Amino acid sequence: MTDRVDEANAPVVAEGVRGSRPSGPSRALVTGGSSGLGAALCRALVARGDQVVSADVNLPAEPIDGVGYLTLDVRSDQDWSDAVAWVDREWGGLDVLFNNAGVAGGGRVDVAGIEEWEWITGINLFGVVRGTKAFVPMMKRQRSGLIVNTASLAGLVHPAGMGSYNAVKAAVVAFTETLGHELAEYGIRAAVVCPSYFRTGLVDAMQGTDTAVGEVIGALVAHAPLGPDEIAAAVLEALDRGEELILPDEAARAAYELKVTDRAAYDDLMRKQAARLNAMGAR
């Protein structure tokens, strides 16, 4: 991994994420911080006065003032080891780990190939696991820390045509809850973020042979009412309140409430959506 932190984009020091440290600024690492929700989280954290480093496979076209940058592939154990070494050397600890990096994918079960499942699982699930395993020893020594994993509403509500994406995001939800129980005695919190569709470039890099699914998801994202900055602001507010399951937008909250309170209506809606997708054919 290449150390890309320079003086022009060195992390700043000021007030931090409330509740993650006894006092002073929070030291936060954000994966996938070069674009989308990751970049929005970096902007919001810096605006609050936190020390922030973005870890991504690519450097952003327009770096954010006050954000440090590391090159990191979440699939690489060596990159994670290097990230831990950088944090230990430069900061002496980490208060907030945002396991945010992810990719979009999906496809009906008889259309999507196994290699598509392996690709999305390696990034969206094992990337989260690797990052957590890398930094938990440091947080245990500190007896403090906050792990924030970006999942999706798809981790709670499971539309047709998105089997692989739904499965890995549901796994991230379950993994995060497990962490919260397992690490509580060390003073470490865990939270999972489950937004509905919001405007992001993630879909532009969506992979999959089921192009009908890509068309549907692309349209939903394009017409979403919120952008990443609004989601990021809602996430930080929820973290300040101590929430562990974060539904940062009204659409996500409404969809999850329907599933919990009226399962028959939820199933009917999901199956109607599946029928419309199937009517489009495998293309």
Side-chain angles (χ1 to χ4, degrees):
M1 184 182 74
T2 304
D3 187 331
R4 297 293 186 88
V5 176
D6 55 35
E7 292 183 0
N9 292 302
V12 296
V13 178
E15 189 72 16
V17 174
R18 293 179 287 275
S20 61
R21 299 181 71 188
S23 62
S26 287
R27 303 159 294 184
L29 184 147
V30 182
T31 67
S34 289
S35 62
L37 179 58
L41 286 167
C42 288
R43 286 191 292 270
L45 289 164
V46 166
R48 290 161 66 111
D50 292 330
Q51 300 179 81
V52 184
V53 65
S54 164
D56 205 330
V57 289
N58 298 307
L59 295 176
E62 298 182 7
I64 302 165
D65 288 342
V67 175
Y69 289 92
L70 300 175
T71 302
L72 181 145
D73 184 335
V74 296
R75 297 168 293 184
S76 168
D77 291 327
Q78 185 59 56
D79 281 8
W80 277 113
S81 179
D82 290 347
V84 171
W86 185 93
V87 166
D88 190 42
R89 181 178 71 250
E90 300 296 328
W91 290 345
L94 187 71
D95 302 302
V96 192
L97 170 64
F98 286 90
N99 283 312
N100 170 76
V103 292
R108 284 161 285 186
V109 66
D110 55 340
V111 181
I114 289 297
E115 68 282 358
E116 297 174 41
W117 280 78
E118 292 173 340
W119 171 74
I120 200 169
T121 302
I123 297 172
N124 287 9
L125 176 56
F126 285 113
V128 171
V129 174
R130 282 189 165 93
T132 302
K133 286 178 67 64
F135 276 101
V136 158
M138 177 182 288
M139 290 183 171
K140 279 188 172 183
R141 290 194 299 271
Q142 297 170 175
R143 301 196 71 83
S144 67
L146 171 61
I147 300 167
V148 184
N149 297 328
T150 298
S152 167
L153 178 61
L156 303 169
V157 171
H158 311 307
M162 296 294 291
S164 60
Y165 192 77
N166 295 344
V168 294
K169 292 303 187 180
V172 171
V173 172
F175 178 60
T176 307
E177 181 180 331
T178 302
L179 292 175
H181 301 320
E182 188 175 319
L183 300 175
E185 68 175 287
Y186 298 95
I188 302 169
R189 295 168 49 207
V192 65
V193 179
C194 296
S196 183
Y197 299 108
F198 62 96
R199 297 187 304 278
T200 177
L202 188 65
V203 174
D204 296 337
M206 185 172 180
Q207 295 187 19
T209 54
D210 196 339
T211 57
V213 170
E215 291 176 18
V216 171
I217 301 303
L220 290 169
V221 169
H223 294 94
L226 302 179
D229 290 310
E230 293 148 305
I231 298 297
V235 168
L236 295 188
E237 290 171 4
L239 290 173
D240 286 341
R241 293 191 296 269
E243 294 182 17
E244 296 178 349
L245 174 60
I246 299 173
L247 294 158
D249 58 286
E250 182 55 37
R253 292 188 289 272
Y256 187 50
E257 182 179 6
L258 177 64
K259 181 176 182 178
V260 171
T261 61
D262 193 341
R263 185 56 186 256
Y266 164 80
D267 286 341
D268 183 61
L269 176 62
M270 291 292 107
R271 289 167 187 175
K272 285 179 179 177
Q273 291 178 349
R276 288 195 292 271
L277 179 60
N278 288 333
M280 297 175 67
R283 53 189 176 88

